[in-house]
Amino acid sequence: MRKNSKVTQREHTSEHVTESVADLLAHEAPLDYKNSSLNVGGVPGKKIVLEPPENDGRPAWNSKLQYILAQVGFSVGLGNVWRFPYLCQKNGGGAYLVPYFILLILIGVPLFFLELAVGQKIRRGSIGVWNYVCPLLGGIGVSSLMVCGFVGLYYNVIIGWSIFYFFQSFQYPLPWAECPIRRNGSLAIVEPECEKSSATTYFWYRQTLNTTSTIADSGGLNVKMTLSLLVAWIIVCLAVIRGIASSGKVMYFSSLFPYVVLFCFLVRGLLLKGAVDGIAHMFTPKLEKMLEPQVWREAATQVFFALGLGFGGVIAFSSYNKIDNNCHFDAVLVSFINFFTSILATLVVFAVLGFKANLMNEKCVMENGEKILGYLNSNVLSHDLIPPHVNFSQLSTVDYAEIYAVIKTVKEGSFAELSLDPCVLEDELNKSVQGTGLAFIAFTEAMTHFPASPFWSVMFFFMLINLGLGSMIGTMTGITTPVLDTYKVQKELFTVCCCIIAFFCGLLFVQRSGNYFVTMFDDYSAGLPLTIVVILENVSVAWIYGTKRFMQDLEDMLGFRPHAFYFYMWKYVSPCCLIVLITATVIEMAISPPGYNAWVEELAQERFQSYPPWALAMCFSLIVVAMLPLPVVFIARYFNLMSDGSNKLSVSYRKNMMKDISNLEEVDEARSILGKNPGETPSPKPPSQAYLGPPGTNPLENPNSLSPNSCYGTSYQNAISPQPPPPLSPPLPLSPTHDHCPSSSCPSPSLTLDP
């Protein structure tokens, strides 16, 4: 301890000293010492500034662009291409964009900003972040890690499917363009299962998945899908093996290439016949849909999952940022990039589906026109029913609609026996498809009619691989970063082990019945657990740590005070919206029979089947296992059965915090050299007053007064040092490590140091 420091003054003199370390922390850093008498023996103009410890050995992004691309790559995934367009069509077309945009503002941006901020401030993964914000709720990070594990298992299977289709696209004609021919001696017949469905449907269910008719019949491993899954895990492992040093470089391509493909498909799609019909159908608003609660629930769910909230990937990526990075700008930018990507993908999908609908409608007109000609030749129908201008060799949809209406009117009693279809374009456009049905059946069928179809197929599935890879990198980072922060293990070895274990666990999804397990995990492993995780994140920051305190931290970190809008969103609106969403999700699960769509080979179509008892138990086990860390960690820490996690700070982190305290003593010693009595020097006034809450609240209210037995007063600002300085007068407790006291007796810190 220096001779002239305030602490030694307090030990050797009874003179009252009014300045404190807290004053220095709160006021000295922002001041300009250019002309101050405190600039002793230094270069004029030099500032004495307390910098946050950023050189703590933690990796960092090479550039802001790399970081933004990583967040965009994680948030923009397969759901933007095959989930959002379906929801938009199902829930009122253009009218669906209104509730989606409103909920993006009320839930999406504030919660995304919150996750970015806590990750950047604490510079830890999800486990470390929530251990420091509220140790009793430290299970939040573990639950996030569990959900990431479940999602990563089946998500990479989808990438494996895309890899299989990618390599199958390097041939002409495309293998799913026509039904295969079965030969029996000199007799050649079309494969019956394909003839009853379609070439693309047959290729997906039979030649790709070779699926069984029930989830109970595993059918053994599908060798082609097993090899594809192995390739997928090798790609993911190589992308994340060195952390952000390798994944950051991959993101330059995997995040930007999908936009190149989407714009190419949009230009090509707009030149196709019927593309405008598809887009017009898509964005024609059905305003009455906006009054249905189901529309708002599905919009909230899509906003929630589109941004990757609760997975831990957002927190992990932001933890590698500089502490003064403008994460508010990042949150708004990434959220709106995600939104406009969904709009772009919807334009592309419905331009292509509009083209496909026109082809299917023309095929319908041609087939039914031949039926009518047959009825005319067999005198079932009179030639007088056919308008004279109609030419059956070039029958248009308008002419067919006119003939159909006349026949339906004249043959009203026996019309059903004729088996004529109306062939209305709107009916084709209303056929909703999503997920794998959109990507591997509807879209692939449309591409078979493109000129140079193999080229477009290669581009499309390569885009899906990159979209999936960006999300998988974020998911894997959400797993590896918290573990590497908490335990001293070798990064490369741990990553390789994770990928190997995940591959063998993923063999469940590459059985012949594996598609049904993908559906199960997609429905049950993430939805409810993630929603609960995010509402606990919101509550722990806004209500336990304190919104006013968090707003102050944000101003210290960003250099400006966030708008009061976020105060109210975090404190009231977002928690209420999430509670409603959880309630609606539970009700939906209760009233909807748990089951899956099974492919019945004999009928060549899908049929809904209920889960058998063992599969039903597996569904609910996924939910329980994902949420189990929440009560386990809470109980264990409440009864002091496990550490609160505050001793997990890295050695370099602790050294930097001690360095900051040493810097404070140097500032104090500089004042003593001048011969001034520190007690006579008034505390400098801060340049601005932070936003501490809405009008009417007491800004002097102690933000650290947390109720005992709920969470400690610890926060991510606390300086944790092996040897805290001697007590000051009046005593200012220096962020206890809590290794020596129960949770109910730990003091709340009144001194905070920004890490």
Side-chain angles (χ1 to χ4, degrees):
M1 185 69 68
R2 288 175 175 78
K3 181 178 179 180
N4 294 322
S5 69
K6 277 190 171 38
V7 175
T8 54
Q9 287 182 36
R10 293 183 187 277
E11 291 178 349
H12 300 292
T13 181
S14 59
E15 185 178 353
H16 181 65
V17 181
T18 59
E19 288 286 312
S20 68
V21 177
D23 293 324
L24 293 174
L25 269 176
H27 307 309
E28 295 295 345
L31 291 181
D32 185 1
Y33 291 92
K34 184 175 182 179
N35 299 313
S36 171
S37 58
L38 289 178
N39 189 12
V40 179
V43 180
K46 182 178 179 181
K47 295 182 180 180
I48 302 176
V49 181
L50 298 179
E51 294 291 341
E54 294 193 11
N55 298 322
D56 56 357
R58 190 172 187 80
W61 298 103
N62 290 337
S63 66
K64 180 66 174 283
L65 176 62
Q66 189 180 79
Y67 164 68
I68 293 296
L69 290 178
Q71 291 286 14
V72 169
F74 176 53
S75 65
V76 175
L78 297 173
N80 296 77
V81 175
W82 68 32
R83 178 68 178 168
F84 185 88
Y86 161 76
L87 291 175
C88 201
Q89 178 193 23
K90 175 187 174 185
N91 295 316
Y96 173 75
L97 300 179
V98 176
Y100 184 88
F101 187 78
I102 291 174
L103 291 168
L104 178 67
I105 299 300
L106 297 182
I107 299 178
V109 176
L111 294 179
F112 194 61
F113 179 28
L114 183 146
E115 288 201 357
L116 291 181
V118 295
Q120 180 174 306
K121 186 73 174 179
I122 306 174
R123 297 172 63 78
R124 316 292 283 176
S126 57
I127 294 179
V129 160
W130 303 114
N131 276 342
Y132 290 114
V133 172
C134 179
L136 286 180
L137 294 180
I140 294 174
V142 184
S143 287
S144 291
L145 190 147
M146 298 289 293
V147 173
C148 280
F150 288 147
V151 172
L153 287 178
Y154 77 84
Y155 203 88
N156 220 25
V157 174
I158 301 174
I159 299 178
W161 295 341
S162 302
I163 290 172
F164 176 75
Y165 267 77
F166 172 74
F167 286 109
Q168 291 291 316
S169 299
F170 288 96
Q171 50 187 304
Y172 184 82
L174 291 170
W176 51 82
E178 297 177 353
C179 286
I181 304 298
R182 178 189 295 180
R183 296 193 177 276
N184 185 7
S186 59
L187 184 62
I189 60 172
V190 177
E191 181 67 41
E193 186 180 2
C194 183
E195 191 174 19
K196 292 177 184 178
S197 53
S198 67
T200 51
T201 305
Y202 175 81
F203 187 86
W204 168 243
Y205 282 111
R206 188 55 53 214
Q207 295 189 342
T208 301
L209 301 178
N210 193 20
T211 187
T212 58
S213 296
T214 65
I215 193 173
D217 181 11
S218 69
L221 287 178
N222 184 331
V223 177
K224 293 181 290 187
M225 292 301 100
T226 303
L227 293 176
S228 299
L229 179 63
L230 178 61
V231 173
W233 275 113
I234 290 174
I235 293 173
V236 171
C237 187
L238 292 176
V240 300
I241 191 167
R242 295 179 57 212
I244 63 170
S246 56
S247 63
K249 294 179 176 62
V250 173
M251 285 298 185
Y252 280 114
F253 182 80
S254 65
S255 296
L256 294 176
F257 179 75
Y259 289 95
V260 175
V261 177
L262 284 175
F263 277 110
C264 290
F265 264 99
L266 180 61
V267 173
R268 185 68 189 91
L270 292 176
L271 298 176
L272 296 171
K273 180 182 178 182
V276 176
D277 295 328
I279 294 175
H281 173 78
M282 177 70 260
F283 289 104
T284 300
K286 303 176 183 65
L287 299 178
E288 66 278 3
K289 285 277 189 180
M290 292 177 58
L291 302 177
E292 298 178 9
Q294 177 75 4
V295 174
W296 289 82
R297 186 188 73 82
E298 292 190 344
T301 304
Q302 180 62 17
V303 166
F304 187 84
F305 290 107
L307 294 174
L309 299 174
F311 280 94
V314 173
I315 292 176
F317 279 152
S318 66
S319 70
Y320 299 114
N321 267 331
K322 294 181 179 179
I323 199 168
D324 59 349
N325 172 63
N326 189 348
C327 56
H328 175 258
F329 172 80
D330 299 341
V332 175
L333 177 65
V334 173
S335 298
F336 281 92
I337 287 177
N338 188 293
F339 176 64
F340 289 118
T341 303
S342 299
I343 300 295
L344 175 62
T346 301
L347 288 171
V348 170
V349 166
F350 277 90
V352 174
L353 292 184
F355 165 69
K356 174 179 174 287
N358 268 269
L359 289 178
M360 295 297 102
N361 198 53
E362 289 176 357
K363 181 181 179 181
C364 176
V365 168
M366 184 178 66
E367 291 175 350
N368 284 272
E370 291 176 355
K371 285 184 183 180
I372 294 174
L373 273 177
Y375 293 142
L376 291 174
N377 294 333
S378 60
N379 295 322
V380 175
L381 294 176
S382 171
H383 287 273
D384 296 336
L385 299 177
I386 308 302
H389 65 275
V390 172
N391 182 2
F392 277 93
S393 62
Q394 295 180 346
L395 187 62
S396 67
T397 55
V398 176
D399 291 340
Y400 175 77
E402 185 179 353
I403 296 172
Y404 181 86
V406 171
I407 295 175
K408 186 176 182 180
T409 303
V410 174
K411 296 285 186 178
E412 184 176 357
S414 59
F415 180 76
E417 299 174 1
L418 300 177
S419 301
L420 295 177
D421 299 316
C423 298
V424 178
L425 180 62
E426 192 75 12
D427 293 340
E428 287 291 337
L429 291 170
N430 282 330
K431 291 180 179 178
S432 311
V433 285
Q434 65 166 324
T436 55
L438 173 64
F440 298 105
I441 298 177
F443 216 87
T444 52
E445 184 174 353
M447 286 189 296
T448 58
H449 301 285
F450 283 18
S453 55
F455 168 78
W456 293 103
S457 183
V458 167
M459 293 282 284
F460 177 71
F461 288 108
F462 195 39
M463 177 191 73
L464 291 187
I465 293 170
N466 281 277
L467 284 173
L469 180 60
S471 297
M472 272 303 298
I473 289 174
T475 302
M476 288 297 295
T477 305
I479 296 173
T480 58
T481 296
V483 175
L484 294 174
D485 285 345
T486 307
Y487 305 102
K488 299 302 179 183
V489 295
Q490 187 179 357
K491 181 191 303 179
E492 291 80 4
L493 179 61
F494 177 71
T495 303
V496 171
C497 290
C498 283
C499 293
I500 292 174
I501 294 172
F503 168 72
F504 283 105
C505 292
L507 294 179
L508 171 70
F509 306 102
V510 291
Q511 305 174 94
R512 290 179 58 195
S513 61
N515 183 41
Y516 307 139
F517 288 100
V518 170
T519 302
M520 176 194 292
F521 272 65
D522 190 39
D523 290 341
Y524 291 94
S525 68
L528 185 60
L530 270 188
T531 313
I532 293 175
V533 162
V534 173
I535 193 172
L536 289 177
E537 290 180 358
N538 194 168
V539 169
S540 63
V541 170
W543 287 91
I544 298 177
Y545 181 77
T547 312
K548 293 184 289 184
R549 188 178 173 194
F550 187 56
M551 294 289 281
Q552 176 64 59
D553 294 340
L554 288 175
E555 181 172 8
D556 295 340
M557 182 171 69
L558 303 177
F560 64 91
R561 60 184 75 169
H563 196 276
F565 165 82
Y566 291 103
F567 180 93
Y568 293 102
M569 291 300 104
W570 289 327
K571 189 81 171 179
Y572 306 110
V573 179
S574 294
C576 291
C577 290
L578 289 173
I579 290 173
V580 172
L581 180 59
I582 289 175
T583 305
T585 302
V586 172
I587 293 174
E588 179 72 16
M589 293 175 63
I591 64 177
S592 300
Y596 61 102
N597 289 321
W599 178 256
V600 182
E601 182 177 357
E602 295 76 16
L603 302 175
Q605 62 183 13
E606 288 184 334
R607 284 288 179 87
F608 181 82
Q609 293 189 12
S610 297
Y611 285 119
W614 64 267
L616 201 58
M618 188 174 178
C619 292
F620 291 103
S621 296
L622 291 173
I623 299 175
V624 171
V625 170
M627 295 193 300
L628 193 61
L630 296 170
V632 168
V633 172
F634 182 89
I635 293 172
R637 286 184 175 157
Y638 185 86
F639 292 103
N640 299 314
L641 301 178
M642 65 182 295
S643 167
D644 61 15
S646 61
N647 59 343
K648 295 294 184 182
L649 281 175
S650 63
V651 174
S652 60
Y653 190 95
R654 293 169 184 256
K655 288 180 178 178
N656 276 289
M657 302 310 293
M658 291 302 296
K659 181 179 177 181
D660 276 351
I661 296 175
S662 176
N663 288 342
L664 288 177
E665 292 173 352
E666 289 178 3
V667 174
D668 191 41
E669 185 173 358
R671 289 185 172 181
S672 299
I673 292 174
L674 292 173
K676 291 181 177 290
N677 185 347
E680 299 173 358
T681 307
S683 299
K685 184 179 180 180
S688 62
Q689 175 64 37
Y691 175 77
L692 294 177
T697 60
N698 182 7
L700 298 178
E701 182 183 64
N702 181 13
N704 296 322
S705 57
L706 305 178
S707 59
N709 295 328
S710 61
C711 282
Y712 315 118
T714 57
S715 76
Y716 47 73
Q717 289 184 313
N718 294 345
I720 301 176
S721 60
Q723 298 178 349
L728 305 179
S729 177
L732 292 171
L734 282 177
S735 306
T737 61
H738 307 299
D739 291 336
H740 57 282
C741 62
S743 60
S744 59
S745 61
C746 289
S748 298
S750 55
L751 170 61
T752 58
L753 296 178
D754 291 342

